[in-house]
Structure formats: C-alpha cells, structure tokens
Amino acid sequence: MDFDALFQAQLDDLKSEGNYRIFAELERKCGQFPRADNYHDGDKREITVWCSNDYLGMGQHPDVVRAMMETTKACGTGSGGTRNISGTAHHHLLLERELADLHNKEAALLFSSGYVSNWAALSTLGSRLPGAVILSDALNHASMIEGIRHSRADKVIWNHNDPEDLDAKLAAIPAHRPKIVAFESVYSMDGDIAPIREIVEVAEKHGAMTYIDEVHAVGMYGPRGGGVAEREGLMDRITLIEGTLGKAFGTFGGYITGSAAMCDFIRSFASGFIFTTALPPAVAAAATASIQHLKQSGFERMRQRRQVATLRSKLDAIGIPHLPNPSHIIPVMIKDPVKCRMISDMLMDDWGIYVQPINYPTVPKGTERLRITPSPLHTDDDIAYLVEALSELWSHCAIARQVA
C-alpha cells in the first residue's frame, strides 16, 4: 500500500480548500519586539509581528531574560528528568508558590504546556472521580475537549456562555454524581469573555466543581495579572484555575492552581504530569521573574489596552469589520479561506506585516479571519501603517467594508 499517496491526497484536499497551513519561519530579535526576521525563499527580511500570544512582550523583558540566563549558567539547560525522577528543581517549587499566591490558592502544579495541563487535569478528574459528569462550554479549547474525551467520563455540552442552559443541564443530573463545569474566561478566537459570576453561581447552586481556563487572561487582567476571575473578585469561588506561562508571561509551560489536596491528587494520578520531563529550571526562573514583575506593574497592561482601543477605532473609521468584544483580541473578519491566506501573504510580502490567517478547523468554515493582538510595544506609527495596509488590501481584494 502506498501510504504516502494516501497522505498526499488529503494534503491536496486541504490545499484546494484553502485550509493548508504554512508556517512563517521567524527569528525574534531580543529587545526589539515586535520586530523579527522572517526567512523566506532563501532571503531574510525584517517584519512586524501582529499576531503573537506574547501579549505584553514579556518574553524579551530584561528581568525575564536575565533570570533565564543566570539560571542557565548556574544550573545548566535541561531539568534532567521527570518531576518524580531527579527532575524537581528548587526553581519549580518557587514558581509553584508564586502561582499559588497569584491566584490566592493553597497550591499549584506545573506542566510542560497549557495544552498538557488542561488535558492532564480534566482527564484525571473525570476518570478518577466515580460517576463524574463534565459539563463543557460549547466553544472550549481543543485541549479541554481532548482531556474530557480521554477521561471517558460522561460529557454534557452547554451553550456557549449561557448560564441558563448550564443551569438546566445541571438540574437534569442526579445530585449524587460529581459534576465539573469546565469553561474559559477569554475565548481566544472571538475574544469574548465568559459571564464568570453567573456561571459560578449556577455551579454552586448544584454543588458542582468549577474549572476555568484563564490562559488568555493571566497577566492581562486583574490588579496583579491573576486573570478575569481576579478582576471580578471570584478566584476564591472557583475550584481550579488553569493557566499558561507561554502567553502574557512570555515563557513556556502550563499550570493548575487550587486546594493542596486537589493539586496533590492530580500530581499523583495524572499521566501527563508523571511521565513527562520537567521544565528546565531556567524556564521556571524566567516565568517567576515575569509573574513577579506583572504582579506589581500595571504599566504593560494599561499601555496594551490603549493600543487595542486605538487600533479598534482606526479600523472602525475605515470600515474594516472586526468582532466587537471586551478583550485584547481583535478578530478581523474575512470569511473566505483563500482571501484570508492571500491577504496574509500580501501583508507579509508587500508590507512587512505578519498576521497569520486563522481558518478551519481552528474556527468554523466561513468565519476565517486575521487575529490581531496589539502589544504595549507596538507604536502609534505601527498601528497607522497596519491600518493603511489593511485599507489598501481590502480594496484590492474587493472585500465589503462595514458601514458605521
């Protein structure tokens, strides 16, 4: 059997649909974010990145870089093993304490990524709590869906951000069964924010555990960067808060926080924690430095919000359609995979602007978009240049503008 032919046939289908993904080869420039070099067809060109999840540019903050370099010199590069077998470093414990403090919880547990922390925690909770039912928001991230699927627990999907539907579905589950309500705070593709207070109140009414994914919110919201739950004063009412170190904190890794018993339970039973190599100590040290900085500095968050508001208002002024939402994510809607890819390529090739096209299966077909994430380090001139480029390409590609 010609397996390569089978592979290629499906790849060709992706390409014909406009959904084949091409990765931009980048080299970030330390101290020059959002500038980067792009390697393309044997050449190197400087571009401006407009789609990074390093939302605050902390991946190049001097304190964060310094912590990583100094710890690498002191401890070397890797961790040397799993957390159980020689891989638990002092820096891991310092970071877990910092995370527990950030979310006002008893304990925290580190994972190799946010994807793994969701997958491991949900799969463990669902499989180890007898008779558990996991109630999942309809737009939850793939990592949460995979964790729920792997748990083999009964699953109930409730309408996106709809506490009334959640209430009805919780009411239909026998009171004696453990219930886990899993949802996100900021949804990364549309940028909408969950009605956390209403969801928590419904869950409490039915004695359900609450599991919130704050990966796109930690560092970004709340007086110390604890996320939307901190901003709303709700952290103490949420059973488990999951987050990432790879977005606003600018490093790498994922984590959960909650009670000491729950974190120990997941530490003891989650295969995604037990059998994976621990984060390098230098990564943990850099993440600790980033969290400590953002706990006491609101400058990056305030500057970032200003740039988001500035870009939104300029897009409105020229009729470029973008989804309205209260978050830092600006989805510019194109709704056609071929045009989305074409505009992304032209932005890069003709304007030196990098915005990755977002298409199926990340978003439903017919909702293709450019997902723009302004940072505090994008200047007003950067914004004006991006808006000029989008306006010209909108006309060139004959895409309808939004009438005010």
Side-chain angles (χ1 to χ4, degrees), residues 2-3 25 37 51 55 63 151 159 213 246 285-286 302 354 378 386:
D2 187 348
F3 286 102
E25 183 181 350
D37 285 332
C51 54
Y55 293 133
D63 292 348
S151 76
N159 295 338
D213 173 321
M302 295 304 296
Y354 173 44
H378 285 96
L386 171 64

Side-chain angles (χ1 to χ4, degrees), residues 171-393:
I173 300 170
H176 71 277
R177 298 188 67 180
K179 294 171 281 290
I180 304 165
V181 175
F183 63 105
E184 301 180 42
S185 58
V186 178
Y187 287 83
S188 63
M189 288 300 114
D190 288 350
D192 53 330
I193 295 179
I196 300 175
R197 184 176 300 278
E198 291 87 343
I199 292 169
V200 168
E201 288 173 353
V202 168
E204 290 174 344
K205 172 184 170 183
H206 295 279
M209 171 183 171
T210 43
Y211 181 116
I212 189 170
D213 173 321
E214 289 249 47
V215 297
H216 291 276
V218 290
M220 303 296 295
Y221 302 92
R224 298 198 309 160
V228 180
E230 183 194 26
R231 185 187 72 182
E232 302 299 320
L234 294 168
M235 290 194 299
D236 61 315
R237 295 172 66 181
I238 296 172
T239 315
L240 185 154
I241 298 174
E242 184 267 351
T244 186
L245 306 169
K247 293 183 171 62
F249 292 129
T251 58
F252 189 77
Y255 65 88
I256 62 165
T257 64
S259 70
M262 184 187 66
C263 289
D264 195 20
F265 174 80
I266 293 172
R267 181 192 72 90
S268 299
F269 293 111
S271 62
F273 176 83
I274 295 169
F275 297 107
T276 193
T277 300
L279 290 176
V283 172
T288 301
S290 182
I291 294 163
Q292 289 174 340
H293 176 84
L294 290 175
K295 278 181 177 177
Q296 55 83 32
S297 173
F299 170 79
E300 291 83 3
R301 288 187 284 273
M302 295 304 296
R303 169 74 179 174
Q304 196 264 355
R305 287 171 199 159
R306 177 193 181 275
Q307 299 309 78
V308 169
T310 299
L311 178 54
R312 282 192 185 279
S313 105
K314 289 185 178 296
L315 292 175
D316 287 339
I318 61 170
I320 300 294
H322 57 97
L323 290 182
N325 65 53
S327 78
H328 56 284
I329 295 164
I330 304 178
V332 171
M333 304 306 291
I334 296 174
K335 302 182 180 181
D336 178 279
V338 175
K339 285 186 176 180
C340 196
R341 174 83 259 173
M342 180 170 62
I343 288 177
S344 174
D345 288 344
M346 293 171 76
L347 282 170
M348 183 80 99
D349 294 339
D350 300 338
W351 296 82
I353 292 171
Y354 173 44
V355 188
Q356 184 72 13
I358 305 295
N359 52 22
Y360 179 82
T362 305
V363 295
K365 292 180 179 180
T367 67
E368 292 80 10
R369 66 199 65 185
L370 301 176
R371 178 183 178 274
I372 299 174
T373 53
S375 80
L377 300 175
H378 285 96
T379 67
D380 289 349
D381 286 343
D382 290 333
I383 292 173
Y385 185 67
L386 171 64
V387 170
E388 179 188 358
L390 286 173
S391 182
E392 182 166 316
L393 293 179

Side-chain angles (χ1 to χ4, degrees), residues 20-28 34-52 341 344-349 352-358:
Y20 181 74
R21 299 180 181 200
I22 300 168
F23 298 159
E25 183 181 350
L26 304 179
E27 186 172 55
R28 283 155 58 97
R35 310 290 178 246
D37 285 332
N38 169 231
Y39 290 83
H40 180 71
D41 289 342
D43 294 325
K44 183 172 76 171
R45 57 191 177 186
E46 184 178 86
I47 53 96
T48 301
V49 179
W50 276 100
C51 54
S52 176
R341 174 83 259 173
S344 174
D345 288 344
M346 293 171 76
L347 282 170
M348 183 80 99
D349 294 339
I353 292 171
Y354 173 44
V355 188
Q356 184 72 13
I358 305 295

